[in-house]
Amino acid sequence: GAVVSQHPSRVICKSGTSVKIECRSLDFQATTMFWYRQFPKQSLMLMATSNEGSKATYEQGVEKDKFLINHASLTLSTLTVTSAHPEDSSFYICSARNGDTFSSYNSPLHFGNGTRLTVT
Amino acid sequence: SQKIEQNSEALNIQEGKTATLTCNYTNYSPAYLQWYRQDPGRGPVFLLLIRENEKEKRKERLKVTFDTTLKQSLFHITASQPADSATYLCALGRNNNDMRFGAGTRLTVKP
């Protein structure tokens, strides 16, 4: 159980276009999902916390107008990279916890398999 | 500022030996610590959780220790196998939205 599906796994786009990445919890409800960016041989960098039915909380230094997050339902969060540039090329990963905020604060994160974005 | 350091970028060991990975942290008081395994091009997979009031946790061939005085966690894989080759990440947290990851240690187990 507790499967998170992320789509697409790879995407190549031209500079200036927008790309949407979907993150779905398949067998549980996730009121909160997390979006990360990972560079080669580096740590997962938390970009934002996606909250169902409300605005996302962005980490310092992450442009909210550049990385649009929508958490429209308890099982789906989307990250849209707007007007992508080559420097946005990276590995983007989403995660979610199985359970509500207060009862599961230290429970494991379930990750999607990531999206490799290449902007040409 | 908070810092999470995993002992080395890469660790090579012989099959059958015990692999020991280190996670050190500074300027932070985590309530819990988790270890994840990440294979190339994939998302991390949860392995073990240890809370601040626990000294040691075991799961099959895995063992984790947590020393809040030393601000360190050790992650051991006994009787290591080539299939254990992956990157291992430690993650520290205090509450639901405050979880930070180390950069990971890439373990290679040679047959």
Side-chain angles (χ1 to χ4, degrees):
Chain A
V3 176
V4 173
S5 173
Q6 188 172 340
H7 179 81
S9 57
R10 290 178 180 274
V11 58
I12 301 172
C13 70
K14 291 188 176 177
S15 190
T17 60
S18 295
V19 173
K20 182 186 279 191
I21 302 169
E22 290 188 351
C23 181
R24 293 181 186 272
S25 56
L26 296 187
D27 49 2
F28 66 98
Q29 294 185 331
T31 53
T32 304
M33 290 185 174
F34 305 92
W35 286 96
Y36 299 83
R37 186 171 178 177
Q38 188 175 34
F39 293 101
K41 299 183 181 180
Q42 291 190 31
S43 178
L44 292 166
M45 185 191 80
L46 180 65
M47 298 174 66
T49 301
S50 170
N51 304 297
E52 187 266 335
S54 65
K55 290 183 180 178
T57 305
Y58 289 82
E59 294 298 300
Q60 194 172 11
V62 178
E63 300 174 58
K64 59 180 70 175
D65 295 330
K66 171 78 171 173
F67 299 100
L68 298 179
I69 291 173
N70 186 305
H71 197 147
S73 76
L74 285 171
T75 58
L76 173 64
S77 175
T78 60
L79 168 68
T80 302
V81 183
T82 62
S83 188
H85 291 286
E87 57 265 30
D88 298 324
S89 299
S90 190
F91 192 54
Y92 293 88
I93 312 178
C94 69
S95 72
R97 278 197 174 92
N98 187 358
D100 62 63
T101 300
F102 296 106
S103 67
S104 62
Y105 77 97
N106 61 8
S107 62
L109 288 174
H110 302 285
F111 285 85
N113 273 329
T115 298
R116 172 71 59 194
L117 171 63
T118 304
V119 184
T120 60
Chain B
S1 62
Q2 301 164 6
K3 209 179 219 184
I4 303 171
E5 290 181 329
Q6 295 195 234
N7 58 322
S8 57
E9 190 178 304
L11 179 66
N12 298 317
I13 65 168
Q14 206 65 36
E15 182 177 7
K17 301 291 185 184
T18 296
T20 299
L21 286 66
T22 305
C23 178
N24 294 298
Y25 58 93
T26 55
N27 298 322
Y28 199 55
S29 296
Y32 64 90
L33 191 149
Q34 299 180 1
W35 282 89
Y36 290 79
R37 168 182 174 144
Q38 186 175 23
D39 290 286
R42 307 294 291 264
V45 175
F46 169 78
L47 295 175
L48 278 168
L49 158 73
I50 188 164
R51 297 180 178 84
E52 61 181 332
N53 60 346
E54 297 173 319
K55 296 270 187 222
E56 182 180 298
K57 271 281 188 69
R58 289 175 186 259
K59 179 182 175 183
E60 297 171 355
R61 293 185 296 112
L62 309 179
K63 184 178 90 170
V64 172
T65 63
F66 194 6
D67 189 326
T68 55
T69 302
L70 289 178
K71 294 186 181 293
Q72 180 182 80
S73 174
L74 298 179
F75 177 77
H76 306 274
I77 306 175
T78 57
S80 60
Q81 304 165 2
D84 295 327
S85 299
T87 296
Y88 292 86
L89 308 169
C90 68
L92 284 66
R94 273 200 296 256
N95 58 39
N96 196 49
N97 293 342
D98 179 24
M99 193 153 133
R100 307 287 163 167
F101 285 81
T105 296
R106 190 174 68 254
L107 173 67
T108 302
V109 181
K110 298 184 177 180

